[in-house]
């Protein structure tokens, strides 16, 4: 259905953490990496938009402004940044057998650019090079709970009306089974305990133990 290649036949483990702006993704991704390292796994944190040149351009010229650029421009730039990220960071780390935790990935394009009107099939097509994660987690917090966290200097995405539309697409991806939801509207420790538990279960099923790290 996705036309995706598997991440890396049997090597490494690729996790992405998704969710609305300010839902706690970064905190949870970092905590997950820390917990995995504490257990002896070789885990690394990475994020999209990436720290590369296109990612930098996205932050400065696409997100940090008052009005959105045409959504096709967003989609193509996020896809270009993802290609950089996949080739320069994700694949090399996976081929070293690491557990890669990406704070946002392809599903952010489906949700944010999909919510702005782009066809999900087309978004998948322009992201065809992106390997399917072994586990894609969605931190579920309703948009109304997040508005209070949006700062004074907000990005073009940090508006309730935008987040409401994005939320609908994320929920659809959960209903499709493409994202595994975790209730994020709880104390940080409870959310991270669930995420770590979910990841450890999947690692066990894949036969990955700390000695593989
Ligand atoms: P954040 O990672 O700090 O939440 O900020 C990234 C913003 O970029 C966030 O509003 C979601 C948005 N975004 C997209 O619209 N499409 C994408 O493909 C990605 C990776 C992020």
């Amino acid at each position: 259905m996705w036309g995706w290649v598997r991440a890396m036949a049997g090597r490494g483990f690729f996790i992405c953490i998704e969710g609305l702006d300010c839902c706690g993704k970064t905190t949870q991704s970092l905590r997950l990496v820390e917990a995995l390292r504490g257990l002896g796994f070789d885990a690394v944190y990475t994020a999209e938009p990436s720290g590369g040149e296109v990612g930098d351009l996205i932050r400065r010229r696409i997100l940090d402004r008052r009005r959105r650029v045409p959504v096709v421009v967003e989609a193509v730039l996020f896809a270009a940044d993802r290609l950089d990220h996949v080739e320069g960071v994700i694949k090399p780390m996976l081929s070293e057998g690491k557990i890669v935790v990406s704070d946002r990935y392809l599903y952010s394009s489906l949700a944010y650019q999909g919510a702005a009107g782009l066809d999900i099939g087309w978004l998948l097509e322009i992201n065809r090079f992106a390997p399917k994660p072994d586990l894609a987690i969605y931190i579920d917090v309703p948009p109304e709970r997040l508005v209070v966290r949006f700062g004074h200097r907000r990005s073009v995405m940090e508006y309730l009306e935008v987040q409401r539309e994005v939320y609908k697409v994320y929920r659809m991806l959960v209903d499709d089974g493409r994202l595994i939801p975790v209730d994020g509207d709880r104390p940080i420790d409870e959310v991270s305990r669930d995420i770590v538990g979910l990841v450890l279960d999947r690692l066990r099923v894949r036969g990955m133990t700390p000695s593989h790290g």
Side-chain angles (χ1 to χ4, degrees), residues 38-74:
L39 290 167
F41 287 101
D42 191 0
V44 284
Y45 169 88
T46 186
E48 291 189 6
S50 78
E53 278 179 23
V54 186
D56 192 46
L57 176 87
I58 289 173
R59 287 188 197 284
R60 286 186 295 107
R61 308 301 294 267
I62 301 293
L63 296 172
D64 190 12
R65 49 185 283 143
R66 286 165 58 124
R67 292 182 56 198
R68 282 179 82 168
V69 298
V71 65
V72 172
V73 175
E74 287 179 9

Side-chain angles (χ1 to χ4, degrees), residues 18-22 25-26 47-49 58-59 63 68 74 78-79 81-82 103-110 112-113 155 157-158 163 170:
E18 291 281 352
L20 296 178
D21 288 80
C22 302
K25 279 180 309 5
T26 304
E48 291 189 6
I58 289 173
R59 287 188 197 284
L63 296 172
R68 282 179 82 168
E74 287 179 9
F78 279 113
D81 180 46
R82 185 159 302 118
D103 178 349
R104 291 198 184 282
Y105 187 58
L106 171 68
Y107 306 91
S108 288
S109 284
L110 304 186
Y112 284 77
Q113 282 65 57
S155 86
M157 305 297 186
E158 291 170 336
Q163 300 289 317
Y170 269 134

Side-chain angles (χ1 to χ4, degrees), residues 68-140:
R68 282 179 82 168
V69 298
V71 65
V72 172
V73 175
E74 287 179 9
V76 168
L77 284 177
F78 279 113
D81 180 46
R82 185 159 302 118
L83 180 58
D84 257 6
H85 189 217
V86 164
E87 294 301 327
V89 178
I90 297 175
K91 282 187 178 173
M93 295 294 184
L94 289 174
S95 68
E96 286 174 22
K98 294 183 195 293
I99 299 175
V100 176
V101 178
S102 186
D103 178 349
R104 291 198 184 282
Y105 187 58
L106 171 68
Y107 306 91
S108 288
S109 284
L110 304 186
Y112 284 77
Q113 282 65 57
L118 295 186
D119 177 57
I120 301 284
W122 183 77
L123 287 164
L124 286 170
E125 192 55 39
I126 66 166
N127 284 279
R128 211 183 166 81
F129 57 83
K132 184 177 178 186
D134 296 293
L135 179 58
I137 295 173
Y138 172 62
I139 300 183
D140 193 9

